Amino acid sequence: MPQGTDEVLSCRQVWEEMNALTAGGVIVRNFHRRISMNRGFLVETDLFPREALIAYSEYNLGQPVSDEQHYKYFSEHRGGLQGDYREGIQNKIANVIDCLTRFPLSKRAIITVPNDSNAPHTSDADAKCLREIHFYLDKDDDKKNVILNATVLMRAQAAEIFPKNIHFIGRLMEYITQQLAIKGLLTGSDYDADFSRDAVSVVEIGELFYLATTLVSVRW
């Protein structure tokens, strides 16, 4: 049965719940949660200390990572090829930023992580755990700030790997909001008037709707 709630939880609360639900090898299908990303997305664990999370997120954002970081933090246990989202990611991010800058109400601000839509099921490199992220802009209740929210679809999630994925998504949302604030939002119609440069004072990170088809405890 699907597992979900309308309550908005912190990243750490979701991680703790994942561990509780999958204790003893239980498999959970269609796990979904609303996650508050503006309450922090750094979830440190023994497997993922702060430095490892930063290194993996920078790598998956297409940023330089030193040989020392690779040697010290990268391993098959921490994700391997299934958790490698780097290929083409900078162009994908740029497309989302351009989309939301030009069309703030667009429903096309999407990052699809796998690069092969017809990959064989035997290919670890193509079996990305994170499949797709949808980004969308909303106004806050006072209509003063723009909120960047997102929806993510995970093929599978091991609770022990969640800190890595949620940190990457958080850093990705953070980067997009920074770029939108720098570029300023453009509008092409009166319908978008609330998102004009004059109407927007701040672009903030909001919520993530998180959906994992299969939730397990550990990767191995």
Side-chain angles (χ1 to χ4, degrees), residues 53-115:
L53 292 171
I54 292 172
Y56 264 106
S57 290
E58 291 305 294
Y59 174 83
N60 278 327
L61 287 170
Q63 300 302 315
V65 175
S66 70
D67 291 341
E68 181 182 359
Q69 287 174 303
H70 266 281
Y71 176 78
K72 191 171 183 179
Y73 300 119
F74 284 57
S75 70
E76 188 66 25
H77 187 186
R78 287 179 170 143
L81 293 175
Q82 294 181 41
D84 187 334
Y85 312 140
R86 183 181 177 92
E87 184 181 355
I89 193 65
Q90 290 189 328
N91 288 336
K92 296 173 185 179
I93 295 171
N95 182 61
V96 165
I97 293 168
D98 183 62
C99 178
L100 293 177
T101 299
R102 297 172 60 194
F103 307 102
L105 294 178
S106 177
K107 298 177 284 293
R108 300 181 182 182
I110 296 171
I111 288 179
T112 300
V113 174
N115 292 303

Side-chain angles (χ1 to χ4, degrees), residues 145-162:
N145 298 336
V146 169
I147 310 298
L148 177 71
N149 297 314
T151 296
V152 64
L153 173 61
M154 305 290 298
R155 172 185 62 80
Q157 177 70 76
E160 66 173 353
I161 307 296
F162 174 78

Side-chain angles (χ1 to χ4, degrees), residues 129-157:
C129 295
L130 195 163
R131 308 303 292 181
E132 199 162 89
I133 312 177
H134 302 185
F135 300 92
Y136 35 94
L137 296 175
D138 296 303
K139 295 300 291 285
D140 65 11
D141 292 338
D142 295 328
K143 292 193 173 181
K144 293 180 180 179
N145 298 336
V146 169
I147 310 298
L148 177 71
N149 297 314
T151 296
V152 64
L153 173 61
M154 305 290 298
R155 172 185 62 80
Q157 177 70 76

Side-chain angles (χ1 to χ4, degrees), residues 35-41 100 104 135-150 169-182 185 195 199-208:
I35 305 176
S36 175
M37 299 302 287
N38 59 12
R39 291 162 63 183
F41 45 83
L100 293 177
F135 300 92
Y136 35 94
L137 296 175
D138 296 303
K139 295 300 291 285
D140 65 11
D141 292 338
D142 295 328
K143 292 193 173 181
K144 293 180 180 179
N145 298 336
V146 169
I147 310 298
L148 177 71
N149 297 314
I169 295 168
R171 280 287 293 117
L172 180 56
M173 293 178 71
E174 189 175 65
Y175 178 76
I176 291 172
T177 58
Q178 290 168 351
Q179 292 303 304
L180 291 176
I182 291 171
L185 300 175
F195 294 90
V200 174
S201 56
V202 178
V203 183
E204 299 177 338
I205 296 175
E207 285 185 20
L208 175 72

